[in-house]
Amino acid sequence: MATTALTGFSMMSLLSLGYLTWDLMSPNQVENEPDQTFVDTSPVPQPPHIIFIMTDDQGFNDIGYHSSDIRTPALDKLAADGVKLENYYIQPICTPSRSQLITGRYQIHTGLQHSIIRPRQPNCLPFDQVTLPQRLQELGYATHMVGKWHLGFYKKECLPTRRGFDTYFGSLTGSVNYYTYDSCDGPGRCGFDLHEGESVAWGQGGKYSTHLYTQRVRKILATHDPQSQPLFIFLSFQAVHTPLQSPREYIYPYRGLENVARRKYAAMVSAVDEAVRNITYALRKYSYYQNSVIIFSTDNGGQPLSGGSNWPLRGRKGTYWEGGVRGLGFIHSPLLRKKRRVSKALVHITDWYPTLVGLAGGNASLTEGVDGYDVWEAISEGKESPRLEILHNIDPLYNHARSGSLEKGYGIWNTAVQASIRAGDWKLLTGDPGYGDWTPPQMLSGFPGSWWNLERHTEPRKSIWLFNISGDPYERFDLSEQRPDVVKELLARLVYYNRTAVPVRYPSEDLRADPHLNGGAWVPWVGDEEEDSWDTVYRKKNKDWKKKLKLSNSRSFFRRLNTRIMSNRI
């Protein structure tokens, strides 16, 4: 389990960041001391069945209980009868969230701190990482994965069935057609991407992926004996990622939404809601429910350009504003001690690894070295979370902010580097955090998508921001100039974490991955006997910056013109 290194912090600075509280317990007081003469002869209960459901790109405002225009009665009911996680954090894009769930490690400790794993990159989840399903297998679980992998597949050793899952059914890349299962990585580089285990599932296309994956989960539940072996299912929906596709019957209830993208997106969320209802029904029907834990989580913030909404949070998918990293999440289980409540306990996606290993009966030695914490008591019993801070990320390869410098970071940290950290109530961002406007639910169907990029720049370019997230969850009041003391403390924490970082794994694309060279499908293309070399930190080439700057100036002119035109229209 992770331990928080607080070297160099004074007692008062820890208190100011919200790390410490005064312990009023007497040093001689013993809490819940067991009776040494009592011998418990009751049978040891079987570990719970764990169903982890992840959606793709579902925004903070894209669920019914957040007063959205999207109706999700099944999800709302499960959340209302369980525990809603309203201080829950994920990563801003797909691969990092999945890697942190599977390994319990921050990206800086797996080399995946930059971008996503692209289909033609010879890259995948590092082989030295013991995955969550592997730990659960050691503890006697049957493990199954259904849906989107997106953790690399250039070698067979990268595949889900080699990383701890007994069975796998789904897509290996980041985005596929919901019916044909074609996936494209640029013009002309398309291939089939639906897999059964380690083979291409050629004959199973044609059915809507949300329905197909739900059908597979129900089949697993129907054929497994819940009394003989605990079960772990990771259902990683492709929905609601683009392309915006759904059966027509789900679109009809949203015919009143003027924005076409929002209408299609809402239909896809409704299909997921129905899928979760059917899976919950199967858990009851096949006698899993009473000893089950259902976890629902999105992988990153929503994309307003594709119908998603994170309102009233700032930012969107791909950014380190709250709209990109604060996630939808809840737990539903008969095993919860305190149900029907909202939890404000600080929880991060890495915490699921030690939490689920603990629920499965594993001891602390099985989670040694991970960055997550066991948060079961915080969620189930309402106790304080053991987590005190979150490193959102440090990405040394992301475009450096031109306004950033070591000087602006008080000589502690180069603020040109993209990084973000949450400690207690405080959140610090440096570099370029990404698009940072507040985007309300889109209501105008004819509104050009490019105009959403007209961010309101009312202040000079910055490279450092500080927010009190507990008091200002929408990140409207930057306190970096008023509280330089907190800024310096958090910059020092970034330095501490950066010293523990491993080199970035971001290799160049491999032409051998082209589906046309591999039977028309996305499959492993490198032999397991070929050695990898990760000694190099791969950096993006940026030779055309003068050309891009000239083009940017032209675009700025037209954007200013469009802004005036749009103001007149409104």
Side-chain angles (χ1 to χ4, degrees):
M1 186 183 301
T3 57
T4 306
L6 300 172
T7 306
F9 276 59
S10 67
M11 180 67 72
M12 292 311 297
S13 68
L14 293 175
L15 287 166
S16 68
L17 291 176
Y19 277 124
L20 297 181
T21 57
W22 298 115
D23 187 359
L24 300 180
M25 181 181 290
S26 165
N28 296 322
Q29 182 178 348
V30 179
E31 186 178 11
N32 299 326
E33 182 176 359
D35 183 357
Q36 300 297 325
T37 61
F38 177 74
V39 178
D40 187 359
T41 58
S42 59
V44 178
Q46 184 187 51
H49 306 290
I50 301 169
I51 315 297
F52 197 107
I53 301 172
M54 177 174 279
T55 55
D56 199 341
D57 290 5
Q58 187 174 1
F60 187 80
N61 193 40
D62 297 332
I63 197 166
Y65 63 77
H66 279 168
S67 301
S68 170
D69 50 358
I70 295 176
R71 294 180 286 277
T72 55
L75 293 173
D76 293 352
K77 183 68 166 61
L78 288 175
D81 292 339
V83 176
K84 299 175 184 175
L85 304 178
E86 293 296 289
N87 202 10
Y88 172 53
Y89 286 87
I90 48 181
Q91 293 307 112
I93 47 180
C94 308
T95 297
S97 284
R98 284 167 173 76
S99 71
Q100 295 195 12
L101 168 67
I102 294 295
T103 67
R105 306 295 303 277
Y106 288 140
Q107 295 155 262
I108 64 166
H109 295 145
T110 60
L112 300 176
Q113 54 267 59
H114 180 67
S115 191
I116 59 173
I117 297 177
R118 305 206 63 83
R120 289 178 291 149
Q121 280 185 310
N123 194 10
C124 72
L125 200 66
F127 299 123
D128 61 349
Q129 298 294 316
V130 180
T131 67
L132 172 60
Q134 285 173 332
R135 287 298 189 207
L136 294 177
Q137 281 182 331
E138 293 173 10
L139 295 169
Y141 273 71
T143 59
H144 304 272
M145 181 176 175
V146 178
K148 174 177 172 178
W149 175 238
H150 207 187
L151 288 174
F153 59 91
Y154 77 105
K155 287 184 175 183
K156 284 189 176 181
E157 291 301 312
C158 301
L159 297 176
T161 48
R162 306 288 180 99
R163 305 313 301 268
F165 290 102
D166 297 329
T167 69
Y168 173 68
F169 181 65
S171 299
L172 298 173
T173 64
S175 175
V176 302
N177 183 288
Y178 281 73
Y179 292 96
T180 67
Y181 299 92
D182 289 328
S183 176
C184 298
D185 187 36
R189 295 188 178 92
C190 301
F192 186 74
D193 184 17
L194 183 63
H195 297 260
E196 178 82 67
E198 299 181 7
S199 302
V200 181
W202 290 108
Q204 302 211 43
K207 190 166 188 176
Y208 188 59
S209 76
T210 302
H211 293 164
L212 186 65
Y213 294 159
T214 304
Q215 185 181 53
R216 174 54 60 95
V217 171
R218 295 182 70 180
K219 181 178 179 181
I220 293 171
L221 294 173
T223 55
H224 183 82
D225 180 5
Q227 307 303 323
S228 65
Q229 186 181 22
L231 184 68
F232 172 61
I233 297 178
F234 177 30
L235 172 57
S236 178
F237 279 118
Q238 173 192 350
V240 287
H241 196 290
T242 53
L244 300 179
Q245 297 173 314
S246 77
R248 183 171 299 177
E249 61 267 26
Y250 296 99
I251 300 178
Y252 184 77
Y254 296 103
R255 61 193 180 280
L257 289 179
E258 294 186 29
N259 183 279
V260 175
R262 183 69 172 169
R263 190 187 312 159
K264 293 179 179 179
Y265 182 94
M268 296 165 71
V269 175
S270 288
V272 169
D273 185 73
E274 180 187 80
V276 174
R277 183 192 68 191
N278 291 336
I279 291 169
T280 307
Y281 173 80
L283 288 171
R284 295 178 184 273
K285 178 180 178 180
Y286 299 116
S287 303
Y288 294 88
Y289 178 76
Q290 290 301 324
N291 190 34
S292 69
V293 175
I294 303 171
I295 301 168
F296 182 87
S297 170
T298 185
D299 67 340
N300 48 247
Q303 174 55 277
L305 299 176
S306 303
S309 175
N310 306 302
W311 183 262
L313 301 179
R314 184 177 186 176
R316 64 189 185 193
K317 172 186 177 178
T319 76
Y320 288 95
W321 305 106
E322 291 293 282
V325 297
R326 180 171 286 199
L328 286 176
F330 66 79
I331 288 188
H332 178 95
S333 173
L335 306 178
L336 291 168
R337 295 280 185 88
K338 295 182 179 179
K339 308 182 180 104
R340 300 179 180 86
R341 64 184 187 87
V342 173
S343 171
K344 294 297 181 70
L346 187 61
V347 178
H348 186 247
I349 193 167
T350 55
D351 296 334
W352 295 122
Y353 187 114
T355 300
L356 298 183
V357 169
L359 279 176
N363 57 43
S365 66
L366 296 181
T367 58
E368 186 176 352
V370 304
D371 295 307
Y373 293 83
D374 186 340
V375 293
W376 179 251
E377 290 186 351
I379 295 172
S380 176
E381 303 176 28
K383 295 184 178 181
E384 288 190 14
S385 173
R387 176 171 287 281
L388 304 175
E389 68 180 12
I390 295 171
L391 176 69
H392 291 303
N393 195 25
I394 299 171
D395 186 349
L397 299 194
Y398 193 80
N399 298 331
H400 283 200
R402 294 189 176 184
S403 58
S405 66
L406 183 61
E407 181 182 0
K408 290 184 179 179
Y410 299 98
I412 302 171
W413 178 261
N414 184 356
T415 63
V417 176
Q418 186 191 63
S420 181
I421 188 170
R422 164 86 183 263
D425 296 328
W426 298 100
K427 177 181 177 182
L428 182 80
L429 303 100
T430 68
D432 180 4
Y435 177 85
D437 214 340
W438 297 266
T439 308
Q442 300 176 28
M443 302 304 292
L444 300 175
S445 58
F447 200 73
S450 61
W451 288 3
W452 288 110
N453 289 317
L454 300 177
E455 183 177 352
R456 297 187 292 273
H457 294 300
T458 59
E459 59 184 355
R461 289 284 187 176
K462 291 171 57 64
S463 63
I464 191 165
W465 295 260
L466 177 71
F467 300 98
N468 184 320
I469 290 299
S470 297
D472 177 25
Y474 312 139
E475 297 172 299
R476 293 186 177 273
F477 306 104
D478 177 18
L479 301 175
S480 59
E481 295 183 3
Q482 291 93 321
R483 294 300 304 270
D485 57 324
V486 177
V487 170
K488 293 175 183 178
E489 296 276 10
L490 296 184
L491 290 176
R493 294 300 292 158
L494 288 178
V495 172
Y496 162 75
Y497 277 113
N498 200 44
R499 288 172 180 162
T500 70
V502 301
V504 179
R505 299 165 59 104
Y506 198 73
S508 301
E509 294 178 339
D510 189 339
L511 297 178
R512 295 177 295 170
D514 194 322
H516 295 113
L517 303 177
N518 296 286
W522 291 104
V523 295
W525 69 90
V526 174
D528 290 336
E529 68 282 356
E530 291 189 38
E531 293 186 2
D532 296 314
S533 176
W534 298 110
D535 297 332
T536 305
V537 176
Y538 296 87
R539 298 189 178 276
K540 290 183 176 180
K541 297 180 180 179
N542 194 20
K543 296 181 180 179
D544 300 329
W545 66 272
K546 291 184 178 179
K547 181 179 178 181
K548 291 180 180 178
L549 179 60
K550 183 177 180 180
L551 180 61
S552 175
N553 290 335
S554 300
R555 287 175 176 169
S556 297
F557 168 77
F558 286 108
R559 285 177 179 174
R560 289 194 297 270
L561 177 64
N562 287 339
T563 301
R564 291 197 294 272
I565 295 173
M566 193 60 197
S567 298
N568 292 334
R569 287 181 59 186
I570 293 176

